[in-house]
Amino acid sequence: MTQTNNNMTVNPDLAMERAKCNFNVLEVTHIFDGGERNTLQRKKIEDVALNSGASKDALGEEHMSPKEKYENAVRKSCIYATMMKNELAELSGLESFGVSSPVIRRTADAFFKEVSPFLLHLGMFVPTIMGQCTPEQQSYWLPRALDMQIIGTYAQTELGHGTFIRGLETTATYDPETEEFVLHSPTLSSYKWWAGGLGKTVNYCIVVAQLYTKGECHGTHPFIVQIRDEDTHVPLPGIKVGEIGPKMGFNTADNGFLGFDHYRIPREHMLMKNAQVLKDGTYVKVARHGKLTYGTMVFVRVVLVNEVAFNLAKASTIAVRYSAIRRQSKPKPDEVEPQILDYVTQQHKLFIAIATAHALQLCSTWLWESFSAVLAQMKGGNTDTLPEFHALSSCLKAISTSDSAHLIEQCRHACGGHGYMISSGIPNLYNFVSATRTYEGDYTVLLLQTARFLVKAYEQAEAKKPLTPTVSYLAHAFSGSRATWDNSPDGIIRSFQALAAGKTAVCVTNMRKRMRAGLSQVDAWEMSTIQLVAAAEAHCRAVIADTYRKEIVRLTANSSPNVKVVMDQLTTLYLYYWALERTGDLLMFTSVSQKDLVDLQIAYEELLLKIRPNAVGLVDAFDLRDELLHSTLGSYDGRVYERLMEEALKSPMNKEPVSDAYSKYLRPMMKGKL
Ligand SMILES: CCCCCCCCCCCCCC(=O)SCCNC(=O)CCNC(=O)[C@H](O)C(C)(C)COP(=O)(O)OP(=O)(O)OC[C@H]1O[C@@H](n2cnc3c(N)ncnc32)[C@H](O)[C@@H]1OP(=O)(O)O
Ligand SMILES: Cc1cc2nc3c(=O)[nH]c(=O)nc-3n(C[C@H](O)[C@H](O)[C@H](O)COP(=O)(O)OP(=O)(O)OC[C@H]3O[C@@H](n4cnc5c(N)ncnc54)[C@H](O)[C@@H]3O)c2cc1C
């Protein structure tokens, strides 16, 4: 194994697990990383960033006040940003450090148990400059942003609207006299709300506002806006800005609010790649597709699939290692208490988490490559592939974030009481990932975007028109008979396609019926949205399963035999798990019988037993250093109880033998003197 400290004492149960692992762990690490070269580069970056000890805190973050936590997060963000500029960028060979590198992002997690106040700077501010500026604008703003001379965020959401972008109320009205835009917040609900880093950290932001010129509204457009003085950091006149208060997670991200009182910015601060306002106020549309200003959101949706795969890998590493050292109950009176990992129900909770981390990691690489292809086509002026990509990135963002949040919570359940400790690392992971289901497009809202595409594709299939690749299966939706069930991986993928097609067909039929009965198209659509969301989910499962399977076959072509076997077991597990989760749907839309499902359940249980001896090896293959896990339960050496006690003793509550609360309240009450 590739752990840095080779002299550590390892818990004997974990040592035993590692001894019985029958595949080459490093080979699987290479598969997960996308090749040996990537693994080497990642480890180099991790060594430079993490061996210095700069990521460590003197006092545990969880014992700090909110203000101390924030200041500490800023301190470490500055250390990490400086490292990126000076050392890591060169190591990673990136033109623009940090922006497109999951490795740099991943390494940053060692510095923050929650998130960096700079997350939005690199995650959305810089990508918006790259994606929405003209070349001249980019050459001015990008170097300043990459060099951290200015720090920015992305302020789109308002108190009153997040999902419905067209409903945003902030206005940017062009004044040709001064060649300026006047930014204004006309109502309380128009205040910007949520942007990460806005509360105290940033001095610039991208503001999305309704553009008015020559008395006409042209819809939402992005602007770059200075909100604080570059020297004193004091908010500029006309700006009302602050932090929004404690949240379920993201508490080091100083999410903020922002209001404008007739605040003026130069005309050139409108990001003009897709649309322009000329000096005289004439509006010129440049882009061929109306939704290109949503580009940064699409970029982040793609990045998030990778982000949640990484976080799920962390949670499953913690829970599987802990389950290997934890012994509980005595089902066989003459034998020692078993490791909880030996319980089949525990394997059912955990192995799907490992398989899903793999599935999402491989899908994220595939999605990134598809995104690059779409961007390349759009550079040449062709936006034909954008609708399909929007449908694809929307459903993958929705399902990957939702599944990961659910499975991270399942990992917490698998760790019993100790999983509830902040020091286990799992609560912070859950709080972070559960937010990803909402931000950058809520789960339901994004699945309905995919459903919109599915319905259109269904109608095209009905009219025998050509279909785009991810929905080409709809061409077979009109055979009149239910899809034939077979439990091979390809057969299960076809079944999920049949579910998506079947549910879409039901929706289309019901919508038509409802419209004939007098409902409007909008109302008929609304009445079908439960099934439309389910259709988009089934479509997405088919895409994930198909991509995962194909990528594993490709990536293991030259692997050793045991690696091939264990990777095949994981992909099969993923398919069996989801087929068994959707038995009702399968009975409705395929020829599956009760006997087939009983057989599938048995095959699934047998698969769990086959994977069991390799479980610790599989999570070791994620190669997550202890600094990244932040976990008393999941460290490589398995010193779980020792770490739990060490952390408990660090609690400020244990500093005094008797709490002040005793003399103030407990004693008076117990002596009857309160
Ligand atoms: C270093 C890296 C680190 C990375 C870490 C990352 C962490 C970062 C942390 C982040 C922290 C969090 C940061 C944040 O949270 S930032 C805030 C994020 N906010 C959102 O994501 C808001 C979600 N809402 C929307 O996206 C839109 O309003 C939707 C889509 C819901 C509707 O929209 P709208 O009402 O305008 O449209 P319509 O429904 O009338 O549909 C009209 C047509 O448009 C098509 N359409 C719609 N959208 C797109 C699109 N994008 N590309 C191509 N096409 C698109 C659509 O298919 C339809 O086509 P057709 O059917 O008519 O043909
Ligand atoms: C941690 C965090 C960080 C964030 N950071 C940023 C940031 O940096 N910058 C920024 O601009 N924003 C940010 N956001 C805001 C985020 O993008 C929005 O909260 C998100 O897009 C959801 O929008 P909403 O809050 O308006 O939810 P709503 O749309 O009000 O959703 C509420 C409910 O209504 C349902 N609903 C809404 N519309 C429909 C519909 N058409 N059909 C069916 N159901 C519907 C949803 O499914 C949901 O169940 C952040 C949010 C969080 C939680």
Side-chain angles (χ1 to χ4, degrees), residues 312 356 360 398-408 541 574 578:
L312 182 55
T356 305
L360 298 181
I399 296 299
S400 65
T401 55
S402 166
D403 283 2
S404 298
H406 168 73
L407 290 170
I408 290 170
R541 297 239 171 263
Y574 185 86
W578 278 108

Side-chain angles (χ1 to χ4, degrees), residues 275-292:
Q276 295 173 359
V277 170
L278 307 183
K279 285 183 183 171
D280 69 351
T282 307
Y283 179 81
V284 183
K285 205 168 167 55
V286 182
R288 286 191 180 193
H289 194 286
K291 301 295 176 189
L292 289 183

Side-chain angles (χ1 to χ4, degrees), residues 119-140:
L119 184 69
L120 266 288
H121 176 77
L122 290 176
M124 293 194 83
F125 182 70
V126 170
T128 305
I129 293 175
M130 289 169 132
Q132 305 285 331
C133 282
T134 60
E136 304 77 56
Q137 289 179 316
Q138 233 187 64
S139 63
Y140 177 73

Side-chain angles (χ1 to χ4, degrees), residues 120 124 153-164 192-197 247 249-250 255 435-436 438-445 448 526 529:
L120 266 288
M124 293 194 83
T153 185
Y154 185 85
Q156 177 174 290
T157 305
E158 298 174 353
L159 255 180
H161 291 94
T163 291
F164 184 52
K192 294 293 172 189
W193 196 268
W194 268 122
K247 303 159 299 263
F250 268 73
N255 296 84
T436 64
T438 300
Y439 68 60
E440 221 55 72
D442 161 80
Y443 175 85
T444 309
V445 168
L448 286 173
E526 181 55 37
T529 46

Side-chain angles (χ1 to χ4, degrees), residues 98-101 105 119-120 122-124 154 156-157 162-166 250 289 291 294-295 297-301 303-304 307 386-387 390 432 439-442 445-446 449 452-453 456:
V99 176
S100 56
S101 167
R105 223 334 261 137
L119 184 69
L120 266 288
L122 290 176
M124 293 194 83
Y154 185 85
Q156 177 174 290
T157 305
T163 291
F164 184 52
I165 302 170
R166 285 182 290 140
F250 268 73
H289 194 286
K291 301 295 176 189
Y294 293 180
M297 287 182 281
V298 175
F299 161 78
V300 177
R301 286 170 196 151
V303 170
L304 280 175
E307 186 78 10
L386 189 60
H390 168 57
F432 176 69
Y439 68 60
E440 221 55 72
D442 161 80
V445 168
L446 289 188
Q449 287 288 309
R452 203 172 153 122
F453 182 77
K456 277 192 185 165

Side-chain angles (χ1 to χ4, degrees), residues 135-148:
E136 304 77 56
Q137 289 179 316
Q138 233 187 64
S139 63
Y140 177 73
W141 293 109
L142 199 55
R144 300 191 77 206
L146 287 176
D147 199 41
M148 308 298 287

